[in-house]
Amino acid sequence: MTATRASIVVSSLCILSSVCLSSAQDTPSQPTAVANYIWYGCQTEATSTRALSLYTYADDAMSLESCQVFCSGKGTSYFGLEYARECYCGNDFGTGSVSAPATDCSMACSGNASEYCGAGNRLSVYVKNGTALPSSTSSEPGGTAPTSSDPAGPTATGFPEGWSNQGCWQDGPNGRILPTYQAPDDAQLTLQKCAELCDSNGYTISGSEYYTQCFCDNSIHNGGVADKDNTNCNSPCGGDNTQMCGGPGYLTVVSRGTPAVDQAPAPQTDGLNGTWTYQGCYEDNLNNSRTLFWQLTFPGTMTPTQCLWQCSQFGYAAAGLEYGDECYCGDPIDVTTAGSTKQDDSECNVVCAGNSSAYCGGGSRLSLYYWTGETPLYVFKYPQGNNAGTYSNLVGGVVTPLMTMQSITGKVTFLEKWGTGAANSTGAYELDLSQLGDFDAAWRTMHVKTDIFCSAGLILPDKAARQLTVGGWSLDSTYGIRLYTPDGSNGVKGTNDWEEDVTTLKLQKGRWYPSAMVMTNGSILVVGGEIGSNDKPEPTLELLPYVGPALYMDWLERTDPNNLYPFLAVLPGGGIFVAYWNEARILDEATFATTKTLPNMPGAVNDALGGRTYPLEGASVLLPQMAPYTDPLGVLMCGGSSTAHSALDNCVSIYPEAENPTWTLERMPSKRVMSCMAPLPDGTYLIANGAHEGIAGFGLADDPNYNALLYDPFQPVGSRVSVMANTTVARLYHSEAITLLDGRVLITGSDPEDGKHPQEIRVEVFTPPYLYSTKPRPSFTVENKDWGYGDSVTFTLGAAPAGKLQVSLLGAVSSTHGNSMGARTLFPAVSCTGTSCTVVAPPRVHIAPPGWYQMFVLDDGIPAVGVFVRIGGDPGELGNWPQGSGFTPPGM
């Protein structure tokens, strides 16, 4: 928060307590002039009317200057400010308004804590050009207020049965003492009318204040106490001037029997079930920053337990309550980082809006609690040295990619949007990982005909493992279907290039930011997007090769533009999982009708509409499937952003086909938007790239997140995240992460166009800790690389296993915008006799959709260099598609 907000908070505290905290800000002053208006003095309110009654307005951002502008615009001679936030204009003073000591005008302006803006029943008055006009109805400054020999008036009669006058009670030091209901102002108010109104609405206490105001409740809140005498209730009732309807800061209370009085407020220390412990009253807004980042407000309802519960649901172990209805969530380390220190408990003196017996902070003061439950909300691991993995430079780059894919030849495809790199860039390049020592031999220039900016990508299940991109930025690009058949080998450059001809082959609907998935029948499902750059939605899905018209999906139209690049997955039960914005559902794979609507996923602690897909961009993967594949498939999403563009610091997971699926939330140690996730051979996941704040898009995020995380799904929930190594390269919008056959993760891209961070051509790798193990790295050979479902496939180890032997299969991935299209992790059954082993292919198409997979053999968690294998063949006969000039399908 800014200093201005801090000033408002402290000033508002002055409103409630009539005492400004000198420890929170400098003592305000009363300027001698505001523009052409000169200080006149501190003036009381009038009797039965306002002192300045021509024009008025109220504003939480009130200042002397804003009131002067308002009244000057109305042409009045006086302006006056009362109660920190109320502005009044007039040409004379109402009857009964008299001069008061300047020290009575002691409330700081709600919008400028350096100035005084009156007080209760006191106005800071300024006069135009310093010339006071004679008042026809007021006494001169310095006069005395009218008095009464019996200020409380005669004993009232005519109350509801059982009701009686309880005298004068102080209102407001810690908030209203009857806060539950305030009736509309009544110019004809009497004590009887107020009591009758409250009684008829089921209340047992009425309070009358300031001529026309009536309040109702069932108990006295906020430390309200009866005055020692009735002299402060000196405002005649609007409907009967023989009765006194309270006064400035005082209520005339009438009740049925003796009014119930809540206990005196104090910090809540019990009733927390042993899970939270009160730490004391701590500073907030140091250096214009919040001590705890995440802010929630619960107007009129907040209690300590309400705030603490909400923070704990999102994994925050520190909770702070401030100013009665503000709740802040974070971590204990945030308090230390902010430099916040403990203050005297008396400075946390604002009662909770929903529990008048408890304090909820003060002005720039937090009633601070820490989670001390038996089970920690989270446990982050901090491995050291090579156990945290390492980032390193791989090779000098030539392009800023927005999409990367490793082909079955082992080479890596880099695709960029037009206009990103050098003027002579062709938009497509291929990297030979076997030639990293020879720059010219490592890179091959390729070509695309239309702009692949924000297209979808896949590796097809045909025998050539062709690469596909669909969609793009504008015009023909949005309809583009581009195909590349990988060729060449280590050290030998290929000759094939990207093929495209929109006159022969194109999408039915132009799409920018679509997603794509290979279905179980081998068809290609293309979902969503927009019709072009920042244009209206394309709320349909279609199939390739063409089998029918595009199908309209109402949920895509309703959630645009926060549903772009939706996450798609084939489910073992036969449906299609789709997640978009903060929603998810299961579609029938034949009709695409919704068969199951899943609960909305959690977002931010203060924003249920926080999301995971572009532009609130997080990343998603499927959790490991383990033979015999009887457990439901899990989906994991990490990072994203709130609708206020605050990056999320959590992961959520769900098992969509479970009987009653629910989302599980787990904390990350830092906020991250535009995250990328790479499945690793050992079943863990690397989380990398992104920013601490903002959303995806050009110039819309900042504060790069240089830290990598490792998510281990085999650990207990809440203990799955390890904090790994840092990079020095900002990886923001248009960055990628893919797992290579050698077990490292290729880290590329970043095109923020923010004037701060460069278009990034450097190519890095993250080396996971398993490659730093002192244990021997296994090796293997496999002859059969084209598997049918349920096949038993033999392979040979380079040496007898030293520990537990496993095989993992990682779906071939196209990485863009946090969406790893094709990603899937399986651990099939494997057995060995000596160095001769057999792996059993997944049993059916819904466990492993047809396509290419990276096969890894792991010995005691250390992966061998992998190879690509195909599972399930090419049931859609994509090898014969498309027909027509300009394309060379590989056949079956």
Side-chain angles (χ1 to χ4, degrees):
M1 282 294 185
T2 65
T4 300
R5 170 59 178 153
S7 301
I8 294 172
V9 170
V10 175
S11 301
S12 299
L13 182 63
C14 298
I15 295 172
L16 293 179
S17 67
S18 299
V19 178
C20 292
L21 299 176
S22 59
S23 62
Q25 62 181 42
D26 295 334
T27 302
S29 64
Q30 195 75 66
T32 57
V34 180
N36 62 329
Y37 283 73
I38 309 302
W39 170 242
Y40 178 79
C42 187
Q43 195 81 0
T44 70
E45 271 293 4
T47 304
S48 301
T49 186
R50 289 292 183 185
L52 299 172
S53 59
L54 287 182
Y55 305 101
T56 183
Y57 83 101
D59 187 0
D60 285 335
M62 184 64 70
S63 67
L64 296 176
E65 291 75 13
S66 61
C67 183
Q68 183 272 330
V69 169
F70 176 76
C71 294
S72 178
K74 300 296 186 182
T76 63
S77 299
Y78 295 99
F79 76 84
L81 297 100
E82 182 174 358
Y83 219 64
R85 62 183 299 278
E86 300 169 3
C87 173
Y88 298 93
C89 316
N91 292 319
D92 53 22
F93 294 105
T95 301
S97 176
V98 298
S99 176
T103 55
D104 282 8
C105 288
S106 58
M107 287 189 178
C109 303
S110 60
N112 185 348
S114 68
E115 303 171 343
Y116 285 123
C117 284
N121 196 40
R122 295 293 186 271
L123 292 95
S124 295
V125 177
Y126 287 76
V127 60
K128 192 172 185 178
N129 300 321
T131 302
L133 301 178
S135 173
S136 59
T137 56
S138 68
S139 57
E140 292 300 317
T144 58
T147 60
S148 168
S149 60
D150 184 12
T155 302
T157 60
F159 295 129
E161 183 177 354
W163 287 64
S164 60
N165 193 325
Q166 302 296 322
C168 191
W169 291 65
Q170 187 178 12
D171 191 27
N174 297 309
R176 291 285 187 191
I177 65 172
L178 300 177
T180 302
Y181 177 71
Q182 180 178 358
D185 286 2
D186 181 0
Q188 299 301 314
L189 185 71
T190 65
L191 298 178
Q192 290 89 339
K193 286 182 70 174
C194 183
E196 289 168 359
L197 183 148
C198 295
D199 182 60
S200 65
N201 284 282
Y203 296 104
T204 59
I205 305 173
S206 69
S208 305
E209 185 171 356
Y210 214 70
Y211 314 107
T212 62
Q213 296 176 343
C214 176
F215 300 87
C216 306
D217 218 312
N218 290 312
S219 63
I220 303 290
H221 299 272
N222 297 329
V225 294
D227 202 25
K228 294 179 180 178
D229 57 44
N230 290 325
T231 57
N232 285 307
C233 287
N234 54 20
S235 297
C237 297
D240 183 350
N241 62 12
T242 67
Q243 300 178 353
M244 295 299 160
C245 282
Y250 287 84
L251 286 167
T252 300
V253 172
V254 178
S255 67
R256 181 191 300 138
T258 302
V261 179
D262 290 348
Q263 62 184 7
Q268 182 172 340
T269 58
D270 56 9
L272 303 176
N273 299 320
T275 56
W276 291 88
T277 300
Y278 177 65
Q279 304 298 310
C281 183
Y282 276 72
E283 297 167 298
D284 195 16
N285 287 319
L286 295 171
N287 301 315
N288 299 328
S289 296
R290 287 292 185 192
T291 299
L292 303 175
F293 176 79
W294 296 100
Q295 180 186 17
L296 305 89
T297 57
F298 299 101
T301 66
M302 191 171 79
T303 65
T305 53
Q306 183 181 32
C307 175
L308 303 183
W309 182 87
Q310 184 71 5
C311 291
S312 68
Q313 293 304 293
F314 281 78
Y316 297 107
L321 303 96
E322 185 166 340
Y323 213 65
D325 60 5
E326 298 173 7
C327 170
Y328 295 87
C329 304
D331 298 304
I333 188 64
D334 297 334
V335 179
T336 303
T337 302
S340 174
T341 58
K342 189 174 183 179
Q343 304 298 302
D344 192 274
D345 264 359
S346 64
E347 296 186 23
C348 286
N349 56 9
V350 178
V351 298
C352 303
N355 179 2
S356 60
S357 66
Y359 284 124
C360 285
S364 290
R365 293 294 182 268
L366 293 165
S367 295
L368 186 66
Y369 293 79
Y370 285 168
W371 176 270
T372 52
E374 183 176 344
T375 302
L377 293 172
Y378 56 83
V379 176
F380 299 138
K381 302 178 182 69
Y382 293 87
Q384 302 298 308
N386 288 340
N387 289 328
T390 61
Y391 277 93
S392 59
N393 186 63
L394 182 69
V395 66
V398 297
V399 63
T400 300
L402 63 79
M403 184 183 297
T404 55
M405 297 178 257
Q406 186 171 32
S407 71
I408 62 170
T409 65
K411 299 179 181 183
V412 180
T413 299
F414 287 64
L415 299 172
E416 72 170 351
K417 81 172 185 68
W418 286 0
T420 298
N424 62 349
S425 176
T426 62
Y429 296 84
E430 188 173 61
L431 175 63
D432 186 340
L433 296 173
S434 71
Q435 301 297 307
L436 297 177
D438 184 339
F439 183 88
D440 291 333
W443 289 101
R444 176 166 80 101
T445 300
M446 302 177 70
H447 307 82
V448 290
K449 296 179 180 178
T450 62
D451 193 351
I452 53 87
F453 177 18
C454 298
S455 60
L458 284 175
I459 294 178
L460 300 183
D462 60 34
K463 67 180 183 181
R466 283 182 299 172
Q467 296 175 0
L468 167 80
T469 70
V470 294
W473 179 44
S474 64
L475 304 175
D476 284 348
S477 297
T478 64
Y479 293 89
I481 299 176
R482 310 165 197 86
L483 291 159
Y484 164 55
T485 302
D487 64 338
S489 58
N490 286 343
V492 178
K493 291 186 176 182
T495 59
N496 292 341
D497 209 337
W498 285 91
E499 298 176 339
E500 179 182 9
D501 185 350
V502 294
T503 65
T504 300
L505 180 69
K506 67 178 184 178
L507 294 171
Q508 296 180 55
K509 303 287 186 179
R511 300 178 189 274
W512 191 51
Y513 289 103
S515 291
M517 183 192 79
V518 175
M519 297 180 60
T520 55
N521 65 1
S523 297
I524 302 159
L525 175 65
V526 183
V527 178
E530 294 180 336
I531 67 171
S533 176
N534 295 317
D535 211 320
K536 62 185 179 182
E538 181 47 67
T540 63
L541 53 82
E542 62 180 279
L543 295 175
L544 296 173
Y546 175 83
V547 293
L551 298 179
Y552 170 76
M553 299 287 130
D554 67 299
W555 44 271
L556 282 173
E557 184 159 51
R558 173 175 52 78
T559 56
D560 180 78
N562 291 326
N563 62 16
L564 303 178
Y565 277 134
F567 301 127
L568 306 172
V570 170
L571 294 174
I576 296 171
F577 171 83
V578 55
Y580 50 96
W581 194 353
N582 67 335
E583 298 181 9
R585 64 184 59 225
I586 299 175
L587 307 180
D588 183 279
E589 65 179 350
T591 67
F592 302 103
T594 298
T595 61
K596 189 176 188 178
T597 300
L598 298 168
N600 285 3
M601 63 191 76
V605 65
N606 61 353
D607 184 7
L609 296 179
R612 311 284 172 173
T613 52
Y614 182 95
L616 311 175
E617 184 181 303
S620 179
V621 292
L622 300 180
L623 293 172
Q625 298 171 267
M626 316 291 291
Y629 313 107
T630 54
D631 293 331
L633 174 63
V635 181
L636 174 70
M637 301 178 195
C638 292
S641 192
S642 74
T643 55
H645 300 183
S646 296
L648 304 183
D649 55 7
N650 60 57
C651 298
V652 293
S653 58
I654 195 171
Y655 294 84
E657 294 180 308
E659 185 174 351
N660 293 299
T662 58
W663 292 94
T664 297
L665 183 141
E666 299 174 86
R667 277 290 310 285
M668 294 192 295
S670 59
K671 296 181 290 180
R672 194 183 299 260
V673 62
M674 299 180 297
S675 46
C676 295
M677 295 179 70
L680 299 183
D682 62 354
T684 62
Y685 300 87
L686 184 74
I687 305 171
N689 303 354
H692 288 108
E693 61 181 60
I695 59 173
F698 294 127
L700 300 179
D702 202 2
D703 191 8
N705 194 326
Y706 296 105
N707 180 237
L709 303 176
L710 192 70
Y711 183 92
D712 185 350
F714 305 110
Q715 297 299 314
V717 170
S719 302
R720 293 177 169 179
V721 174
S722 295
V723 179
M724 308 300 279
N726 288 341
T727 180
T728 59
V729 181
R731 301 288 183 182
L732 300 169
Y733 186 48
H734 287 178
S735 61
E736 306 81 37
I738 61 171
T739 300
L740 301 174
L741 288 171
D742 65 11
R744 296 181 297 175
V745 178
L746 188 74
I747 305 290
T748 54
S750 187
D751 184 19
E753 300 189 16
D754 58 1
K756 287 172 136 182
H757 305 97
Q759 292 181 330
E760 190 57 67
I761 66 171
R762 285 176 287 183
V763 180
E764 292 180 289
V765 286
F766 179 87
T767 303
Y770 51 57
L771 293 182
Y772 289 107
S773 173
T774 57
K775 301 174 185 176
R777 188 173 188 182
S779 62
F780 73 101
T781 56
V782 59
E783 298 297 328
N784 180 3
K785 297 178 182 178
D786 201 352
W787 302 358
Y789 291 110
D791 283 356
S792 292
V793 179
T794 59
F795 63 93
T796 303
L797 298 173
K804 179 181 179 181
L805 193 102
Q806 294 175 292
V807 169
S808 64
L809 300 166
L810 304 184
V813 163
S814 171
S815 173
T816 185
H817 292 77
N819 199 328
S820 297
M821 299 180 200
R824 207 172 187 97
T825 300
L826 302 101
F827 283 84
V830 61
S831 59
C832 294
T833 300
T835 59
S836 179
C837 301
T838 300
V839 59
V840 180
R844 52 193 177 85
V845 70
H846 291 101
I847 299 296
W852 288 87
Y853 292 77
Q854 295 173 319
M855 175 189 176
F856 294 94
V857 174
L858 298 98
D859 187 350
D860 213 11
I862 313 301
V865 174
V867 298
F868 274 102
V869 300
R870 184 168 70 154
I871 301 174
D874 182 8
E877 299 186 357
L878 295 176
N880 293 329
W881 172 82
Q883 297 297 313
S885 61
F887 295 95
T888 54
M892 298 299 293

